[in-house]
Amino acid sequence: MNRTKSAGSFAAKTARSRTLRTVLIVPFVLQIFVAVGLVGYLSFKNGQKAVNKIADRLMAEVGSRVEQNLATYLIVPHQVNQINAAAIEIGTLNLQDLPVLQRHFWRQLQIFDTLTFTGLGLEQRDNLGAERLDNGSLTLRVSTAASNYDFRTYTTNKSGEIGALLNNKTNFDPRTRPWYKAAVAAGKPTWSEIYSNTAGITAYLGASMPFYDKQGKLQGVLLTNINLSTLGQFLQSLEIGKNGQVFIIERSGMLVATSTGERPFHAVKKDYGAERVKAIDSKNTFTKTTAQYLAANFNKFQSLKTSQSLEFDVRGKKQFLQVLPWQDDKGLDWLIVVVVPEADFMAQINANNTATILLCAAALIVAIIVGIITARWVTKPILSLNDAAKKIAKGEWGKSVIINRDDEVGELANSFNSMAAQLQVSFAELQALNTELSESKSRLYQILEAVPIGIFVANSSDKPYYVNSRALDLLGTDKVANNASELREIYQAYLAGSNEIYPAEKDPIINAFKGASVNVDDMEIRQPDRRIIPIEVWGTPIYDDKGKVSYAIAAFADITQRKQAEKLVAEYNRTLEFQVAERTQELKTALDNLQTTQEELIHSEKMAALGQLVAGVAHELNTPLGAIRSSAGNMTNFLGQTLTNLPSMFQSLSPAESENFRELMYRSLQKDMTLTAKEERKLKRALISQLEGEDIDEADDIADTLVDMGIYEADDFLSLLQKVDRDRILEMAYKLSEIQRGTQTINTAAERASKVVFALKTYARYDSSETMVQSNITEGIETVLTLYQNNLRHGVEVIRNFQKIPPVLCYVDQLNQVWTNLIHNALQAMDNKGTLTLDIVHESNYIKVGVTDSGKGIPPEVMPKIFAPFFTTKPPGEGSGLGLDIVRKIVDKHRGKIEVASVPGKTTFTVVLPVNLP
């Protein structure tokens, strides 16, 4: 019998041992197999994702670079046209002076090396400009009535002078060209359609701009061209994978430029013979196939409105494609197409995948061998622990396990033995704890029954958990609701003063389950005996250790006496409100009278300040008028002396010398008025040395004249200075430049007088409408400073620390009175000599205005009284003592405040105003 039991026990142990090994080995090997397979698969997929990301990033970067460079590249032609239009408008460029126009356009091509042509065509049929040939040389192209409108092309030397005739096109009319028609039709700067040049060997993208005279009559069109070949050269400079490419097409499908080097037109050597190329007819197979794919799938390019990242196959090979629509405000609507073959990225990925598969297979074999050995080593002690655990589960607490190992399994056996001992002790303690917990629960129920307010508890299942006896008394029934949503109907809970069941969204229990602690006092209980009990309810959530609401508690009390007291208070308040309304009407009448008196007082103070300013304003007007009279007299004298001699002088000059004379006049008008006397003396000495080095006599006198004109270098004018009648030429140039400077002086003086008159009108205006408007405080302060300009110019330094601030809702005239009083007081405190600092700061919703003077300061004993009415420190007859009182009242009216801080040498008044009145 004993042998049979022993054999059965051995067989059971063997079966368990084999099962545990299988459980350890099979999942371990299966995990390794799945992990290895998954790693290999993910490696392949990640490789493909990496390829897609790299391709997308590359094409996005290329597209972005093309977009940025196009925006920069194509803005230049229109800027050049705007510069030329401005020069024509202000008279710097004379449309009748062909040599100057030709030289101007020639110089522009030297500066802007991306341009192919710059020039203009006139309504009278004249056409001229400068053109850059494919070899980089610059030419001049002219067609005027003098040449019977033959369009002639000339070579130029390094100075831009006309050389040999290259070609001639007869009977040319610029008004028939696409660029001219496009500008006239648009009436503003625009792009013409891409068109061929007159020789028919290339195609241009033209930026054209109409210009008009002062009566709005069309004078002509300015033109700046870009050769399509230069756009292709830029695209060729981009690196797009190994075999990728980028090209630009119009919505019509016409090729604009490509990175393959293919020209977007066929050159035909005849007049206007260059022919455009469609992208679907490109000689490049890659370009052609891509264009055909886009045309077939996007309605012949018309439905490509947003950026598109696409994939398509060419001969069974995957291609990455990105299309970027590009427009500008001048009429261009192009598509930027970037295409890269997937094969450019996949070669290295495929090699890596093969290596990964081999490594995964080796790892799988090693893992299976290690798993078998490890399972055998782990299972034996674990089976012993399993037997001991089963005996402890049956209550055999004295069972222990002996495993002589120092690793984690040995530690587990020691921990198991310790745990068995602790479980025996814990079991006894748990029995004692359950007994104590039962007693505590009984005491808690006794306390809740004893409190004088109703207690209602619902659990997380929305069912009532506990209701004390006071709650049942107040509710008037012992019925128990199935869930919290039935409470209001069962217990007849109504909204106070109505026949509506209390709203669910305000119910304290429901809100407590949502995590909110609420308190309501507008609920009433209608008991079966028709008694109505108003109650105040507090709803509170109770959370478990995971932060979830496990219970909701509602505590409620009878507030009948409080409601009765509130009713008595409300009746008393109604009586009090009637009495207050009567008294308020009396006060309003008194306030209206007071406001009328205050407005009259403010206006009186304003007129008094205006009287003080009259002498200074008169001086401010006399000064610019004197400058105007003086400049006008000088101009009259100079004109009388120069007009008669000017024609004969120009007849004595050669064309080159006439150009030098005009350049001399131009530079004189650019005279730098910021140079100090010391800097001018230094430049004069250098000029004398230069003249003497050229053997020019009377170098001192000539240098004096040139420096007065603003000319500090004579390199470009040596031919004029070496002429016999140079004194006459210099005198004529000096007088003409003085006439121009006299005109500038008159303009400046007139502007200054206008500014003073405007400031005076603004200050003197009186608005009694009491209407608040949005106003710029800085402009008001500048108006006051303009009126005090005569006081400031003789010893007062004004420092403006003005931040950019938003408009302020205010009474404009009244605030101007504030700035006038504060600035006037500051000037008087300094005796009109010192530093006046004005600060304007924007902080949050407030504007701070500081007025600081460098006077002797306000004595400490005077400081508390400075805002008091009729208080003044000025001698009798010089002040009413109402200025600062009025200032304070105006600031208070704007919901602001005024502060003062004073020490000897620095007194600051700070006005704080809200941007928008509360």
Side-chain angles (χ1 to χ4, degrees), residues 339-358:
V339 58
V340 183
E342 184 186 43
D344 284 7
F345 305 97
M346 287 300 296
Q348 185 62 40
I349 298 298
N350 291 332
N352 291 341
N353 287 339
T354 302
T356 301
I357 292 172
L358 294 175

Side-chain angles (χ1 to χ4, degrees), residues 27 71 156 162 180 196 206 226 273 295 386 390 462 551 608 787 790:
T156 60
I162 290 179
Y180 198 100
S196 60
I226 294 177
N386 184 39
K390 288 180 178 180
D462 199 24
Y551 294 96
L787 294 176
N790 188 52

